[in-house]
Amino acid sequence: MQLLEVPDVTVIAGENALPVSQLPPVWQDIATGTANVGCNRQSYVEMAQLFLYKLKQGDVDLFSECSELAHLKPSFSQLFGHLAWETLEFYGYDLIIHHYPNFEEVLHEFESKGAEYANEVQVARIGIELFREFGYELPASFYHVHLAPIYRDHVFEERALRFDKRDIEHKRSWDAILHAGKVFAIQMKVQSIASKYGFTYQHGCGCNSHLSSIDPSDGAFEYELSQQKRSRWIRSFIWTAWYEYAFFPIVPNTSYLV
């Protein structure tokens, strides 16, 4: 990677990045404090600067390691620059506080419905505990996808990710969050919290993948994030969710797997 010393490029942690002025407007608002977010503004804005630069400029291993593909870099940059912009627009708004669930309201709604909604109450409690753990460090869609089972016909209902019209408006953002679970420390914490309430979260990563499907869990286990590594794991989770969101429209899918 070659650092560039030109007006429209800045350097963050020794890597090329775009200046804040070239980010989507919502990120400029986050940077100036105009947008009401609860995350670490500077850290998230810097990630956005790096993310948009890397995809707009084709600053990826494909081109640094395969010189014979250099002629494809302009096409890559045009396509993924657009997808990266879409991604940052979505997650910029997804970090704004009023987009987060009102967990206590959700819990009260299902508690008031009676004993037959005991499973939904447990899922709502999982959501509350996840928020206590991560708060506004993770985007609103992280919480919405983990609350999703309570809004189905029953909490164990499975819906094909790419083909079920009932959740189609969420498929890209929810899939990105679930795939970001490859950052295993975050996934372990989610599952440890869910296990205390008798559940485990499932996601198949195929075209028949379920939008945060849950199954009963036979036993609880404890897992705590290392405080020395916590911020790094969270940044890794955010970064992974972003590129999963950007890549979602180009992943091949088939109803054969459903």
Side-chain angles (χ1 to χ4, degrees), residues 12-66:
I12 296 173
E15 297 187 62
N16 294 325
L18 290 179
V20 173
S21 62
Q22 293 188 28
L23 295 179
V26 64
W27 282 95
Q28 298 181 42
D29 290 343
I30 291 173
T32 60
T34 305
N36 186 22
V37 299
C39 63
N40 182 325
R41 295 175 186 271
Q42 180 178 350
S43 177
Y44 283 51
V45 169
E46 288 177 351
M47 281 198 295
Q49 292 174 262
L50 288 161
F51 184 77
L52 190 55
Y53 175 87
K54 288 181 179 297
L55 292 189
K56 283 189 71 173
Q57 299 299 324
D59 186 9
V60 296
D61 290 348
L62 178 68
F63 299 114
S64 62
E65 298 176 359
C66 302

Side-chain angles (χ1 to χ4, degrees), residues 20 72 116 118:
V20 173
L72 299 176
E116 65 270 31

Side-chain angles (χ1 to χ4, degrees), residues 153-206:
D153 294 339
H154 57 84
V155 295
F156 303 114
E157 180 187 358
E158 296 180 348
R159 297 184 181 180
L161 175 58
R162 293 179 179 268
F163 302 107
D164 195 307
K165 294 182 179 179
R166 291 171 294 178
D167 283 321
I168 200 166
E169 66 180 292
H170 308 296
K171 64 179 183 179
R172 188 175 179 184
S173 58
W174 287 4
D175 185 73
I177 290 295
L178 295 171
H179 282 182
K182 67 181 73 174
V183 179
F184 205 59
I186 304 297
Q187 177 68 231
M188 287 289 287
K189 187 60 184 178
V190 170
Q191 299 291 12
S192 71
I193 290 174
S195 73
K196 295 195 313 185
Y197 295 92
F199 296 117
T200 181
Y201 281 90
Q202 307 293 337
H203 183 63
C205 296

Side-chain angles (χ1 to χ4, degrees), residues 138-158:
L138 295 183
S141 52
F142 171 83
Y143 301 104
H144 286 297
V145 71
H146 288 102
L147 288 176
I150 66 178
Y151 296 110
R152 300 177 187 153
D153 294 339
H154 57 84
V155 295
F156 303 114
E157 180 187 358
E158 296 180 348

Side-chain angles (χ1 to χ4, degrees), residues 1-19:
M1 179 180 63
Q2 181 181 6
L3 295 180
L4 304 177
E5 296 183 2
V6 293
D8 60 347
V9 174
T10 188
V11 175
I12 296 173
E15 297 187 62
N16 294 325
L18 290 179

